[in-house]
Every structure is written in C-alpha cells, then in structure tokens.
Amino acid sequence: MTNQLSRPRRTRNAARTTAQILETAQTEFAKSGFSGARVDRIALDSGTNKALLFQRFDDKAGLYAAVLERVRQDASATRATFVARVTSTDKPRSSAQFHELVGRLVEVNIAFLVQHPEAAAILHWERASGWVAFRQAALDSIDEPGSALLALFEDAAEHGWIRSTPSPAVQLAMTFDVPHTHFASLSRNGSPVAQTAEWEFVSGFVADGLVEQGDAR
C-alpha cells in the first residue's frame, strides 16, 4: 500500500525536478549560448547536481537538445493556435486577404519573440553558430502547424498571390526570420521591443515584400 502511494509522488517529484532543470538551463543557454553555458551553474541554480543532470540528459549536448525541443514546442503551440483560426474561418481567397494573413502571421511571430525572450536569445545564438545544434537535434523538420502554413503559402503561389521566387518555404520562413533579426538589433541597441507601431511596421514590411500587389485574384 505504501509503495503504491509513494510511486506517483516520486513520479511527480521527478517531473517537477526535470522541469526545473530545463527552466534553469534555458535561462543559462539564453544568457551564454551553448559554448559559454556552465553545467555546474545550471545544477547549482536548479537545486540539483551534475550527476543527476547527466543521468537525465546524458551530457551537456543532450540537455541543450531538450531545451531546444522546449523552445520548439512553445513556438509550435503558438503557430497551432493561429493555424486553427485561419483554417476554420479565415482561409484567404484573394491576394488582398493573403496579404492580411501574412501580416497577422508576422505579428504572431513578433508576439512569440516578445513573450519568450529567452527562446529568442537561444535562437540568436543558434543562428550565429549556423544552426548546428538545431540540426543535430533533428529540430529542423517541419511540424504540423508549419506544414499547414506551408500549404497556405503553396496555395498562394499557385494563385499568383506571392512572388514566384524564392520558394514558398523560404517566404514562410521569412515571416519569422525578418522580425527575429530586426528585434535582435533593437535588443543590441537597448531599444524597447513591445511597441505596437513597431509591430505594424515590420508586419507590413514583410507582407508588402512577399505578396504581389497587383489586382486581387
């Protein structure tokens, strides 16, 4: 009886400890990048020890991969909410409507970057390193919300709503990469990010660059 009661408690404690380790590691990797992050500091700040970290994640690379997966899941959840709304009620039927969709998608991506500054910082480090760890962790494959968004961009290409080059996949990536790069420069200069006018400018800039501005089709 005692063993049956204690097992769920141990499971809950283990899950809570893992979550604390990942949260602390995300802060450390955001601050210092993969190379500069210290496992002993992560263990100390999470209230655990290096032996437990290595038992759970094998090594520093395994811990970093788990943090990257955490970032990916947060981003995927954000895109999933947007996709559900678009595919159920707002699927575009003209270039003007697709222009509006692209603008809203960029604002969703901006909101993610503002609301998840540590994730944004980790992605800055990854970009600077050539996305090596990201690819090694097999996180460069497209997720379900990403596939749905890509289908929308491919449909727009078939209708002539977006430019013929680059590919729809690259144009979709630009809805995240452009604001990511822009807000990285603002952070470098110490400028505030959460400004509505700034969001509108960037979203309009990307939408105007990707969507053909001729007659709606």
Side-chain angles (χ1 to χ4, degrees), residues 30-131:
K31 179 181 177 181
S32 304
F34 177 76
S35 298
R38 297 283 301 276
V39 174
D40 52 354
R41 189 157 50 221
I42 294 170
L44 178 64
D45 292 347
S46 64
T48 57
N49 55 69
K50 290 175 68 174
L52 179 60
L53 262 67
F54 292 139
Q55 178 185 351
R56 297 277 173 90
F57 302 101
D58 292 334
D59 54 18
K60 181 181 178 181
L63 177 58
Y64 187 55
V67 169
L68 287 177
E69 177 59 30
R70 195 170 187 250
V71 170
R72 172 180 169 143
Q73 289 176 0
D74 288 341
S76 182
T78 299
R79 289 193 301 268
T81 300
F82 178 79
V83 167
R85 187 169 64 249
V86 169
T87 55
S88 62
T89 60
D90 300 328
K91 189 172 182 179
R93 302 187 183 282
S94 69
S95 61
Q97 290 180 0
F98 193 76
H99 183 278
E100 181 182 354
L101 180 146
V102 171
R104 285 189 285 126
L105 175 58
V106 173
E107 291 189 1
V108 166
N109 288 332
I110 293 171
F112 174 80
L113 293 169
V114 171
Q115 294 165 9
H116 299 81
E118 290 181 347
I122 288 171
L123 293 174
H124 294 323
W125 286 107
E126 273 301 294
R127 176 174 291 176
S129 66
W131 301 100

